[in-house]
């Protein structure tokens, strides 16, 4: 194969990877009219990825990784029947098929989804941080408004978008639906960088740039990240953290809304018995009640939405969401890739560290089966870990050659 054909294949794969990242929610491109509706995008993505794999006729996915995907598909197929033809589970199977094809493409082309993903996150963090500072200094205002998926108002500043913009307070959401989403997917990028590539500049950009999300969950996760990966330098880290907090406090004193958004969320609320930034407590209580109704197999993906709408209780975005929706069995199936990642900790502790950091994130932003990014990134994490562990794979040629 000549160099031109190799370049064409490499470029095609990279474009497919990027399209898979921005095709639908939580990316807001389709909500702003920059892309067609996400259903159109994902159908197109299925044909493009599936067509590539079938055309190349190269099926290299290791057995254990293929088994995880197959088991998840079979369980969701059973759930369609168990929950009275709940077709929401077909959506999950649809996404897993796309995920399978993209995993195969990475292996057959030696192209890396993770490099495309991380550069995209880094771009959003840098651009969003610049925009965040421009807004705070009064040099940037929204270019236009749009409707988020939950019908809240979204603001596009060009450099970034957000759904939090009020009296000088703004939080960087990149091109995701909310700031917490950028923080969540930014932590995935940080872990990916640490596990497989480790670029110090990217690590620093992500650690400090993601502060612009003002996400309390991010602040908690990054402390665990520092503890797991840099605890040998704990004194230096603690000194840096204290200096950073002082600087943040000085900056926030110039804007009471920013001060409230950062430090006000960490104050103890005597009425609720929690910190002020804990906006999940009521959700946990509501969702726990639904979980108790059907603990083993759940209430069903569509059915629980119907019940919550009828009861006027939101049951998403908390640790019991998946349990209430899919039950204990479904929760185990959803977490299979994470358990597999933890297993590799027997060869290298960094995989155990990654497991706990990501699980902490899932406590407040649970695995959402309506988003392709979750199965795509989690199964890619397992694939890369599998290829990196020659002991588990069984031969010297199994090392990760994805570039």
């Amino acid at each position: 194969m000549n160099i031109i054909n190799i370049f064409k294949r490499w470029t095609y794969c990279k474009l497919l990877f990027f399209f898979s990242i921005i095709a639908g929610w939580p990316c807001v491109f389709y909500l702003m009219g920059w892309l067609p509706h996400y259903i159109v995008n994902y159908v197109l993505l299925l044909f493009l990825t599936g067509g590539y794999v079938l055309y190349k006729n190269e099926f290299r996915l290791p057995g254990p990784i293929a088994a995880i995907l197959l088991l998840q598909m079979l369980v969701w197929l059973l759930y369609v029947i168990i929950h009275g033809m709940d077709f929401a589970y077909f959506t999950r199977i649809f996404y897993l098929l796309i995920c399978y094809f993209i995993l195969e493409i990475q292996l057959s082309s030696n192209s890396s989804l993770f490099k495309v993903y991380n550069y995209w996150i880094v771009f959003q963090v840098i651009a969003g941080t610049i925009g965040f500072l421009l807004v705070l200094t009064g040099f940037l205002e929204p270019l236009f408004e749009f409707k988020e998926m939950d019908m809240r108002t979204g603001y596009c500043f060009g450099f970034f978008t957000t759904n939090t913009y009020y009296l000088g307070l703004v939080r960087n959401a990149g091109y995701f639906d909310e700031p917490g989403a950028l923080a969540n997917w930014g932590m995935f990028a940080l872990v990916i960088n640490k596990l497989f590539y480790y670029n110090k500049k990217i690590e620093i950009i992500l650690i400090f740039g993601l502060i612009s999300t003002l996400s309390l969950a991010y602040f908690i996760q990054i402390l665990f990240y520092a503890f797991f990966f840099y605890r040998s330098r704990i004194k230096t880290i603690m000194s840096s953290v204290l200096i950073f907090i002082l600087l943040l406090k000085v900056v926030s004193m110039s804007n009471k809304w920013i001060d409230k958004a950062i430090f006000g969320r960490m104050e103890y609320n005597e009425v609720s018995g929690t910190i002020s930034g804990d906006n999940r407590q009521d959700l946990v209580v509501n969702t726990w009640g639904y979980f108790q109704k059907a603990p083993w197999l759940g209430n069903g993906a569509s059915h629980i939405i119907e019940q919550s709408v009828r009861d006027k209780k939101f049951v998403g975005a908390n640790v019991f969401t998946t349990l209430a929706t899919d039950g204990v069995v479904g929760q185990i199936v959803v977490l299979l890739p994470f358990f597999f990642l933890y297993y590799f900790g027997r060869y290298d502790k960094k995989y155990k560290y990654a497991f706990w950091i990501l699980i902490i994130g899932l406590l407040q932003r649970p695995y959402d089966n309506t988003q392709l990014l979750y199965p795509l990134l989690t199964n890619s994490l397992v694939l890369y870990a599998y290829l990196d562990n020659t002991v588990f794979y069984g031969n010297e040629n199994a090392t990760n050659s994805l570039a």
Side-chain angles (χ1 to χ4, degrees), residues 35-36 43 128 135 144 150 160 184 220 266 279 315 333 344 346 364 374 389-390 393-394:
L35 284 177
V43 170
V135 173
F144 60 87
D150 59 5
F160 69 103
N184 176 70
I220 294 171
M266 300 179 188
N279 56 3
V315 296
V333 171
F344 288 117
R346 66 188 298 179
Q364 60 87 37
Y374 273 110
N389 284 275
T390 56
Y393 196 78

Side-chain angles (χ1 to χ4, degrees), residues 3-147:
I3 189 66
I4 295 177
N5 287 334
I6 292 174
F7 178 75
K8 286 181 178 179
R9 185 176 71 173
W10 182 88
T11 303
Y12 179 79
C13 295
K14 297 293 184 183
L15 289 174
L16 278 182
F17 297 157
F18 184 62
F19 186 45
S20 70
I21 295 168
I22 66 171
W25 189 56
C27 181
V28 295
F29 282 168
Y30 77 96
L31 292 169
M32 295 190 293
W34 293 3
L35 284 177
H37 192 274
Y38 71 91
I39 294 177
V40 175
N41 296 333
Y42 282 135
V43 170
L44 179 60
L45 186 63
L46 179 67
F47 279 105
L48 291 174
T49 55
Y52 180 92
V53 172
L54 294 174
Y55 173 75
K56 298 299 295 184
N57 196 28
E58 295 179 0
F59 301 93
R60 303 183 180 185
L61 196 63
I65 313 301
I68 292 174
L69 290 171
L70 182 60
L71 179 59
Q72 289 179 324
M73 290 182 192
L74 289 175
V75 170
W76 300 145
L77 187 59
L78 288 174
Y79 268 52
V80 172
I81 302 170
I82 292 170
H83 291 295
M85 301 308 291
D86 189 334
F87 290 100
Y89 291 102
F90 278 129
T91 301
R92 302 186 186 187
I93 296 172
F94 179 81
Y95 286 157
L96 286 170
L97 278 173
I98 295 175
C99 176
Y100 165 73
F101 289 136
I102 291 178
L103 293 181
E104 288 284 11
I105 290 172
Q106 292 183 77
L107 291 171
S108 65
S109 67
N110 285 333
S111 298
S112 170
L113 166 74
F114 280 163
K115 283 198 172 181
V116 175
Y117 175 78
N118 272 25
Y119 285 137
W120 173 234
I121 294 294
V122 167
F123 170 78
Q124 291 180 86
V125 168
I126 293 174
T129 301
I130 293 171
F132 173 81
L133 294 174
L134 289 174
V135 173
L136 293 185
T137 52
F139 288 102
L140 184 64
E141 294 184 354
L143 301 178
F144 60 87
E145 298 179 4
F146 62 96
K147 288 297 180 183

Side-chain angles (χ1 to χ4, degrees), residues 310-366:
R310 185 172 59 249
D311 298 339
K312 297 181 180 180
K313 294 179 179 180
F314 181 64
V315 296
N318 70 86
V319 66
F320 292 118
T321 296
T322 304
L323 285 169
T325 303
D326 307 314
V328 173
V329 173
Q331 179 74 84
I332 293 172
V333 171
V334 162
L335 294 179
L336 273 178
F338 293 94
F339 295 148
F340 215 66
L341 188 67
Y342 184 84
Y343 172 81
F344 288 117
R346 66 188 298 179
Y347 304 118
D348 193 325
K349 289 183 179 179
K350 67 181 182 180
Y351 296 109
K352 284 187 179 179
Y353 300 158
F355 169 85
W356 288 116
I357 292 167
L358 296 178
I359 287 295
I360 290 168
L362 288 177
L363 293 179
Q364 60 87 37
R365 187 171 292 273

Side-chain angles (χ1 to χ4, degrees), residues 206 216 244 312 331:
L206 290 174
L216 184 57
F244 171 74
K312 297 181 180 180
Q331 179 74 84

